[in-house]
Amino acid sequence: MLKVTRLAVYADYTFLLAAAWAIAYQGMVIGLLSKGLFGTHVWDLTIGKLDNTAFLLVLITESIYGPFIWMIKFSMLLMYLHIFGRTNPRFQYMVWGGAAVMGLFYFASLIGNLVLCAPRSHETYIKAFSAQRCARSKDLSVATGVFNVLSDLYLLLLPVREVLVMNNTLKKRLKVLGVFMTGIVALVASACGLYFRVIVNTRLDNTWNIMPVYLTITIEMTCGIFVLCAPALRGVFRLVAPSIRKYLAGSSGPVSGEGQAHRRKAPGSRGVGGPRNNGQRGQRASDDSGMELQNLRSAPAPQS
């Protein structure tokens, strides 16, 4: 049975670090957009937009992307491990092996970006990015796009077998599987990101064509964070569901009260079938009138 109420602290910490990293990454992308370097056609660029600070932000965002996206995927692997792999050695090997391969590649991409595009002695950031060696970083970007697709596919398929063999009903297993299948959106985003990375690598208008790449990165990281949050959403829903039901029942209460008042008028005509004591009839009529009056008092005023 799936247990998500007590995730290990390691998964929690890596997730919080990944979420903080995502906020910082998006902040730097917004900074690049505000400077006008990205989202502008090459032929519309002005000298004022080509400053060292903008290119420093470009170097940072391109360099930290690898470790950042690895942190999200590593958090997902830790979540899988603590949900499915505590008594499954084979699954543990698959988790740690996947984490190691992904870590090696993404940290290698960090080193590669710094070697190719970081300024060397007496170089400015603008001159470093215009050097021939930095142009080769486009090939590294395409390789990263290919690896993103493969690693996302691995993360998508890894928990499928474990979910299907769970000791639970088919309906519940499909529900759990549906939560993890939201990763399909991340896989599609990675594939689209690879397509746009190839466009950036083969066309000249890089400052404009780079925007879809950042968009797909945002979608991919958002889907990863959503999948990490999904197990806790069930507990949150259980916590707030009674309040929501109570609120909805309260908002429909006066209508049902009026309906009950009208329905209570009918039993008077039902008593025609047999002899009734006049005192009992009077008492019942009095009770019905009192209940009716109480309902009318509690009914809301008509809205104009």
Side-chain angles (χ1 to χ4, degrees):
M1 185 175 178
L2 182 64
K3 295 182 179 181
V4 295
T5 54
R6 292 184 181 180
L7 289 178
V9 292
Y10 296 113
D12 294 337
Y13 289 152
T14 55
F15 165 70
L16 290 175
L17 182 58
W21 209 329
I23 295 172
Y25 185 87
Q26 291 301 318
M28 285 184 284
V29 173
I30 293 173
L32 285 172
L33 292 175
S34 65
K35 286 184 172 294
L37 181 60
F38 287 164
T40 306
H41 291 288
V42 171
W43 50 84
D44 291 330
L45 286 175
T46 60
I47 297 299
K49 296 178 181 179
L50 303 176
D51 61 348
N52 278 317
T53 304
F55 282 96
L56 173 61
L57 282 177
V58 173
L59 179 63
I60 293 174
T61 53
E62 290 185 352
S63 299
I64 71 170
Y65 168 75
F68 156 66
I69 203 69
W70 175 79
M71 185 63 67
I72 291 181
K73 295 181 180 184
F74 180 57
S75 300
M76 294 178 65
L77 287 170
L78 283 181
M79 183 184 69
Y80 291 165
L81 181 66
H82 291 289
I83 293 176
F84 303 113
R86 295 186 179 184
T87 58
N88 190 340
R90 182 188 63 84
F91 191 80
Q92 293 177 8
Y93 293 142
M94 295 179 69
V95 167
W96 290 116
V101 172
M102 294 178 195
L104 288 173
F105 179 87
Y106 285 123
F107 279 93
S109 70
L110 163 66
I111 297 173
N113 272 306
L114 292 176
V115 169
L116 293 173
C117 296
R120 297 180 181 178
S121 58
H122 306 296
E123 274 188 339
T124 63
Y125 287 100
I126 299 176
K127 190 173 181 180
F129 269 85
S130 56
Q132 185 62 33
R133 68 176 188 277
C134 189
R136 295 198 296 271
S137 65
K138 294 180 180 180
D139 298 329
L140 180 59
S141 176
V142 174
T144 301
V146 173
F147 190 83
N148 284 346
V149 174
L150 295 177
S151 59
D152 285 344
L153 184 62
Y154 183 80
L155 289 172
L156 183 67
L157 298 179
L158 184 61
V160 171
R161 181 185 176 277
E162 305 303 321
V163 173
L164 293 179
V165 298
M166 284 170 54
N167 186 19
N168 219 322
T169 63
L170 178 61
K171 183 178 180 180
K172 289 185 178 181
R173 281 180 285 172
L174 291 178
K175 286 182 178 180
V176 174
L177 191 62
V179 172
F180 294 120
M181 287 300 104
T182 55
I184 293 176
V185 180
L187 179 61
V188 173
S190 298
C192 294
L194 173 59
Y195 170 76
F196 289 116
R197 287 171 191 267
V198 173
I199 289 180
V200 171
N201 197 25
T202 55
R203 299 183 185 178
L204 296 177
D205 195 7
N206 292 345
T207 55
W208 177 263
N209 293 328
I210 196 68
M211 291 308 301
V213 177
Y214 281 116
L215 178 60
T216 56
I217 289 173
T218 301
I219 296 173
E220 185 181 3
M221 71 173 67
T222 302
C223 290
I225 291 175
F226 175 79
V227 172
L228 288 167
C229 295
L233 292 179
R234 185 179 180 185
V236 174
F237 179 76
R238 284 182 174 179
L239 183 65
V240 301
S243 300
I244 295 175
R245 293 196 199 99
K246 185 176 180 181
Y247 173 78
L248 294 176
S251 62
S252 60
V255 178
S256 61
E258 290 179 2
Q260 291 177 1
H262 287 298
R263 284 197 296 270
R264 288 192 185 102
K265 293 179 183 179
S269 60
R270 234 184 311 171
V272 180
R276 298 284 183 184
N277 184 275
N278 290 335
Q280 291 178 348
R281 288 184 179 180
Q283 182 67 31
R284 177 170 293 181
S286 175
D287 292 343
D288 288 345
S289 299
M291 294 174 65
E292 197 171 331
L293 180 61
Q294 184 177 1
N295 286 328
L296 289 174
R297 287 175 178 172
S298 62
Q303 301 292 327
S304 57

